[in-house]
Amino acid sequence: MFITFEGPEGSGKTTQIQRLTTWLQKQGYAVLATREPGGTPIGDAVRAILLDKKNTAMTSRAEVLLFSAARAQLVEEVIKPFLEKGGIVLSDRFADSTFAYQGYGRGLNRDDLRRITAFATHSVWPNMTIYLDLPVEIGLRRKSNGATKEWNRMEEETLAYHRRVRDGYLALAAQEPKRWLLLDGTQGIDHIAAQIRQRVASALAES
Ligand code: TMP
C-alpha cells in the first residue's frame, strides 16, 4: 500500500508520518517512510538545488522537471521495489505537490504536468492521500518558530502563492474524495494521529 501525505508549509506532515510509521511497525507491518524531493542520494542533491534561496533564476519549467527527476529516482530506487515486496510506503509529499505548487501555484498547464508526472512515476500512484489542511499564515508561522527558522526558496514565496497552493490542494481533494482524507491540521497532534490510524486500519482490513 502506498500512502502519501500532503499539505501546505508547516501542516505537520512529518510528525504524523513518524506517528503512523511507529504504529504500523508495532502492528508488524514492513513500513518505509520517505520524502520528496529527496529520499535517495540523487534526490537529496536535487532537493538542495530546488530549495537553495540563491537559485532565484530558476524557471517554473526547470523547477517542475527537477522535482520530477527527484521523483523518478525515488520511485524506481525505493518506492517500487518496496511495494513489490508487499510493504507499506509512506511518503512526505508526492506528485500532488507538483499539481498544487507548480500547477495551481505557478500556473503551469495541467495536461503537461500530468504527462511529465506519468513519465516520472511509471504510473505508480498512491492508494491513499492524507491531506493536512491549515491556513497558510499559521503554517508559515509554525515554520519560522521551528528548528530551521530560515525559510527555503519555496517557503519564501509570497502569501498569495501559498494561498493558491492551498486552494489547489482543496480542489484536488474535492476531485478525488475516495483517495483523499482531508483533515484539519490545526487540531491537536494526537487527535489527527487517531483519525489517520482509523482510516489506514480500515483500508488495510479491506486490502
Ligand atoms: P518540504 O518537504 O520540507 O515541505 O519542502 C519541499 C518544498 O518543495 C515545499 O515547499 C513544497 C515544494 N514542492 C513543490 O513545489 N513541488 C513538488 O513536486 C514537491 C514534491 C515539493
Side-chain angles (χ1 to χ4, degrees):
M1 180 174 295
F2 182 25
I3 303 173
T4 57
F5 285 69
E6 296 284 354
E9 311 302 325
S11 55
K13 296 177 278 91
T14 313
T15 308
Q16 292 301 334
I17 288 182
Q18 285 164 357
R19 291 285 191 104
L20 186 61
T21 303
T22 308
W23 182 75
L24 285 168
Q25 282 170 339
K26 275 195 195 141
Q27 316 285 308
Y29 290 103
V31 187
L32 184 138
T34 188
R35 71 161 177 184
E36 271 212 17
T40 65
I42 290 171
D44 283 333
V46 174
R47 178 184 179 91
I49 298 171
L50 277 163
L51 300 186
D52 188 339
K53 278 198 290 192
K54 288 199 293 292
N55 288 332
T56 49
M58 191 181 297
T59 69
S60 299
R61 283 168 184 245
E63 181 179 278
V64 73
L65 291 171
L66 285 170
F67 278 116
S68 302
R71 181 165 307 136
Q73 191 67 34
L74 181 67
V75 166
E76 204 144 325
E77 192 177 322
V78 176
I79 297 180
K80 219 160 171 257
F82 204 78
L83 290 175
E84 279 165 5
K85 281 193 295 188
I88 300 176
V89 176
L90 309 181
S91 186
D92 189 338
R93 301 193 179 281
F94 194 64
D96 293 300
S97 283
T98 294
F99 294 119
Y101 282 80
Q102 281 67 51
Y104 288 90
R106 301 264 189 245
L108 288 179
N109 178 278
R110 204 166 310 168
D111 289 331
D112 287 343
L113 295 184
R114 283 208 191 97
R115 278 193 294 271
I116 293 167
T117 301
F119 181 75
T121 60
H122 259 261
S123 299
V124 168
W125 204 244
N127 304 96
M128 185 191 302
T129 297
I130 293 160
Y131 173 61
L132 302 180
D133 183 53
L134 87 174
V136 297
E137 294 84 350
I138 296 180
L140 289 168
R141 205 177 313 132
R142 279 185 186 174
K143 283 257 160 161
S144 44
N145 293 334
T148 37
K149 287 206 168 82
E150 213 181 306
W151 285 359
N152 64 38
R153 192 179 62 85
M154 300 303 292
E155 287 156 0
E156 282 223 318
E157 276 294 336
T158 61
L159 264 186
Y161 173 82
H162 287 291
R163 289 199 182 109
R164 286 199 297 280
V165 170
R166 183 194 181 195
D167 290 346
Y169 270 129
L170 292 171
L172 290 166
Q175 283 158 28
E176 274 183 278
K178 276 203 180 133
R179 173 165 67 92
W180 290 69
L181 172 64
L182 199 157
L183 295 173
D184 176 355
T186 64
Q187 301 173 106
I189 291 173
D190 291 341
H191 188 53
I192 296 174
Q195 292 168 84
I196 293 173
R197 281 199 302 272
Q198 194 183 14
R199 174 67 168 254
V200 171
S202 67
L204 286 167
E206 277 168 24
S207 69

